[in-house]
Amino acid sequence: MGSHILAIDQGTTSSRALVFDAAMNVVGQGQKEFAQHFPQSGWVEHDPEDIWESVDYAIRTALKRAGLSADDVAAIGITNQRETTLVWDRKSGKPIYRAIVWQDRRTASICNQLKSAGKEALVTEKTGLLLDPYFSATKVKWLLDNVEGARAKAQAGDLAFGTVDTYLIWRLTDGAVHATDATNAGRTLLFDIEKGEWDDQLLALFDIPASMLPDVRDCDGDFGQTDASILGRAIPIRGVAGDQHAAVIGQACFAPGMIKSTYGTGCFAVLNTGDTLVRSQNRLLTTIAYRMGGKTIYALEGSIFVAGAAVQWLRDGLKIIGKASDSGRLAMAADPKQNIYLVPAFVGLGAPYWDAEARGAMFGLTRNTGPEEFARAALEAVCYQTADLLDAMQKDWTGHGAATVLRVDGGMVQSDYTMQFLADILDAPVDRPHMLETTVLGAAWLAGQAIGLWPGQDEFARSWAREHQFVPEMDSAVREEKLAGWRDAVSRTLSGR
Ligand code: G3P
């Protein structure tokens, strides 16, 4: 058996694989971007074969760059974009349609109908989530209702449903294992997070046959072994968690009150609430932080759909930057006297507004507004949205204790400009760790400790190291003025107006 851990991070825009040695150092990595399909306004799809091929490429590249082979890998951990929905034929293994991505809004009308029928309270009570197209259940329903012959096949038990983790496990084990972990299950709208099981009432509500569902396991459970035909030998899959949950783990946010905020395609702030299932009064999600050894740890989550995607828009849509890392430099050159706000509701607004029909808007444009101000508005929008989330979190968490730390990760946090503005607008310190690959580290740790190769929770938490703390410097009157401008911009963007 080898002494390395292979961790796969299947994200929204690219697939990555990292190889870690026994001392938890990264020794090789591979990455591949893949196509995004936007067949209609608000629709977002991925080709399942692109997902698989990019993962396969990333694994092979990571091993090659590390100078290792599959023989050197002791276990695999998987983390993934959550909620994205796949349905495939159990016999042929062929997906019946493209993957419907978490950002996809096509099921807004299904959600609205269920809301009008008064069903949201039941859904929230059981799942901690809201009736929003973001989650998987309405996407499965759409597939069964719109792909010819799908419902009959599902009723005959011939179709399997999975989020991306489940699909990858299925592919890696060549169809031997149809399983997910509790964190991914908890994002489907079909899983009772208090009981820790699929819920018949919700399955009936969304008209989804139970036979489609994967088996739900602990994050550090046994997910079978890779089929020898894939990497040349069977390797155990011993860690699985949705990417935001893996980041909680990778940031060692194991104690109640600790918050991590990850800036990937979207931004997701997660507050560990320990074994207390806190029901949000402020439109946040209650979710499973992780489940290990049969014990569930809960969290409050704020989900923003567009963070790094706004920088991608500057690069690929507006073409005002050549690469993402240019955005901070451009923003710093912006005219400080212009108050430009971007509300990046490209696919609606997530927490705490949950407005699927809203679309993006800019405010305050003048003849002097140029690329610099656009860049600054895009970066600042991410920080304002984080402020909305943390404000809601603090309200929900009052009475339970104080939020203790905010640890950040993801591509955007490399920008000092953005992180300083974040600390300023939050009026709170922001901790950036040395290890920025926290999501993939979380998945690797689940697998590494599951097989006894890596340290347990306490020792792992002690290995977390801060690279920089951003401390608020902004005058409070300026902060209040900026936040008021943001709130006004959002209120003018909401679809009800
Ligand atoms: O809920 C969606 C989330 O898991 C996607 O994460 O990193 O691909 O933006 P990311």
Side-chain angles (χ1 to χ4, degrees):
M1 170 176 128
S3 59
H4 292 77
I5 300 293
L6 172 67
I8 299 164
D9 179 3
Q10 203 303 302
T12 310
T13 55
S14 77
S15 299
R16 309 174 61 232
L18 271 73
V19 184
F20 295 82
D21 65 14
M24 305 195 294
N25 299 308
V26 178
V27 294
Q29 51 182 301
Q31 174 165 13
K32 191 164 184 196
E33 288 200 18
F34 55 88
Q36 309 289 310
H37 300 276
F38 307 107
Q40 292 187 29
S41 167
W43 291 30
V44 189
E45 299 177 355
H46 292 159
D47 185 332
E49 213 45 41
D50 284 351
I51 292 180
W52 171 249
E53 276 171 14
S54 60
V55 166
D56 187 61
Y57 173 88
I59 293 174
R60 288 175 202 283
T61 308
L63 286 172
K64 197 168 154 199
R65 292 204 178 133
L68 300 171
S69 75
D71 290 339
D72 300 300
V73 179
I76 292 178
I78 298 175
T79 183
N80 57 289
Q81 53 166 323
R82 307 166 300 166
E83 300 98 11
T84 296
T85 299
L86 293 108
V87 172
W88 62 93
D89 186 300
R90 285 186 183 277
K91 288 190 202 113
S92 70
K94 293 255 176 304
I96 63 164
Y97 191 83
R98 283 188 188 141
I100 303 185
V101 178
W102 58 276
Q103 297 160 314
D104 193 289
R105 313 269 89 197
R106 81 186 61 187
T107 58
S109 60
I110 304 179
C111 293
N112 289 340
Q113 279 162 19
L114 289 167
K115 273 194 239 176
S116 306
K119 300 296 184 192
E120 188 159 60
L122 170 81
V123 170
T124 302
E125 169 72 23
K126 287 177 184 278
T127 67
L129 310 175
L130 297 160
L131 272 171
D132 189 88
Y134 176 26
F135 307 106
S136 311
T138 57
K139 300 181 199 290
V140 181
K141 179 174 167 48
W142 186 92
L143 288 169
L144 296 184
D145 289 344
N146 289 278
V147 177
E148 210 186 314
R151 187 160 289 284
K153 273 186 146 188
Q155 267 148 2
D158 291 341
L159 296 184
F161 152 68
T163 39
V164 170
D165 55 309
T166 306
Y167 182 66
L168 291 178
I169 294 165
W170 174 277
R171 293 290 299 249
L172 286 164
T173 62
D174 199 22
V177 178
H178 183 216
T180 189
D181 83 295
T183 67
N184 276 295
R187 311 293 295 191
T188 58
L189 279 186
L190 300 170
F191 193 71
D192 183 321
I193 58 168
E194 199 164 2
K195 293 193 184 138
E197 60 191 31
W198 298 118
D199 186 88
D200 288 338
Q201 220 180 336
L202 295 173
L203 285 165
L205 184 70
F206 294 105
D207 208 4
I208 296 171
S211 61
M212 296 180 76
L213 300 175
D215 186 40
V216 183
R217 303 184 183 169
D218 285 352
C219 300
D220 59 347
D222 183 347
F223 294 86
Q225 303 207 330
T226 59
D227 189 82
S229 64
I230 313 258
L231 290 166
R233 76 171 259 269
I235 304 171
I237 304 169
R238 290 304 311 270
V240 176
D243 53 10
Q244 305 313 320
H245 314 267
V248 170
I249 293 168
Q251 287 276 31
C253 287
F254 295 125
M258 295 178 84
I259 304 174
K260 75 88 205 175
S261 190
T262 302
Y263 298 87
T265 305
C267 159
F268 302 87
V270 180
L271 164 75
N272 184 322
T273 63
D275 47 21
T276 315
L277 192 160
V278 178
R279 298 202 175 272
S280 178
Q281 306 301 316
N282 295 283
R283 312 283 286 162
L284 296 176
L285 308 174
T286 306
T287 200
I288 293 173
Y290 46 86
R291 193 176 94 189
M292 293 174 66
K295 186 171 161 46
T296 301
I297 296 297
Y298 293 97
L300 280 168
E301 174 177 319
S303 325
I304 302 168
F305 299 148
V306 172
V311 178
Q312 276 175 356
W313 174 67
L314 297 176
R315 187 193 64 189
D316 305 336
L318 299 183
K319 301 192 174 20
I320 59 174
I321 52 171
K323 52 184 190 309
S325 55
D326 293 341
S327 55
R329 195 180 32 75
L330 197 62
M332 280 168 79
D335 173 4
K337 288 198 275 312
Q338 292 189 48
N339 283 320
I340 313 294
Y341 290 95
L342 166 67
V343 184
F346 302 151
V347 288
L349 283 171
Y353 308 102
W354 299 106
D355 185 343
E357 325 281 353
R359 289 296 176 269
M362 282 194 94
F363 296 92
L365 302 180
T366 68
R367 281 291 296 270
N368 293 328
T369 306
E372 294 83 0
E373 289 74 31
F374 270 68
R376 191 186 65 189
L379 297 180
E380 289 184 355
V382 175
C383 303
Y384 288 126
Q385 292 185 95
T386 309
D388 288 341
L389 299 182
L390 264 59
D391 189 43
M393 259 174 199
Q394 242 132 26
K395 288 181 188 145
D396 279 340
W397 188 238
T398 303
H400 296 279
T404 50
V405 293
L406 173 63
R407 296 179 171 176
V408 292
D409 57 273
M412 286 184 86
V413 309
Q414 285 166 32
S415 161
D416 287 358
Y417 171 85
T418 311
M419 290 303 102
Q420 183 57 50
F421 189 78
L422 181 64
D424 285 343
I425 218 68
L426 296 177
D427 195 19
V430 170
D431 289 343
R432 184 170 66 188
H434 273 287
M435 172 57 170
L436 289 176
E437 301 285 0
T438 47
T439 300
V440 81
L441 176 66
W445 179 74
L446 284 169
Q449 62 83 38
I451 60 164
L453 183 68
W454 283 19
Q457 191 166 302
D458 293 344
E459 195 182 332
F460 177 69
R462 282 194 294 276
S463 72
W464 185 92
R466 186 166 68 200
E467 178 262 335
H468 190 78
Q469 181 168 64
F470 295 87
V471 180
E473 288 167 358
M474 190 179 275
D475 181 76
S476 62
V478 176
R479 178 185 311 113
E480 284 314 317
E481 196 185 325
K482 285 184 178 293
L483 282 168
W486 164 255
R487 287 185 200 115
D488 179 56
V490 172
S491 75
R492 291 200 261 163
T493 307
L494 295 174
S495 63
R497 287 189 50 111

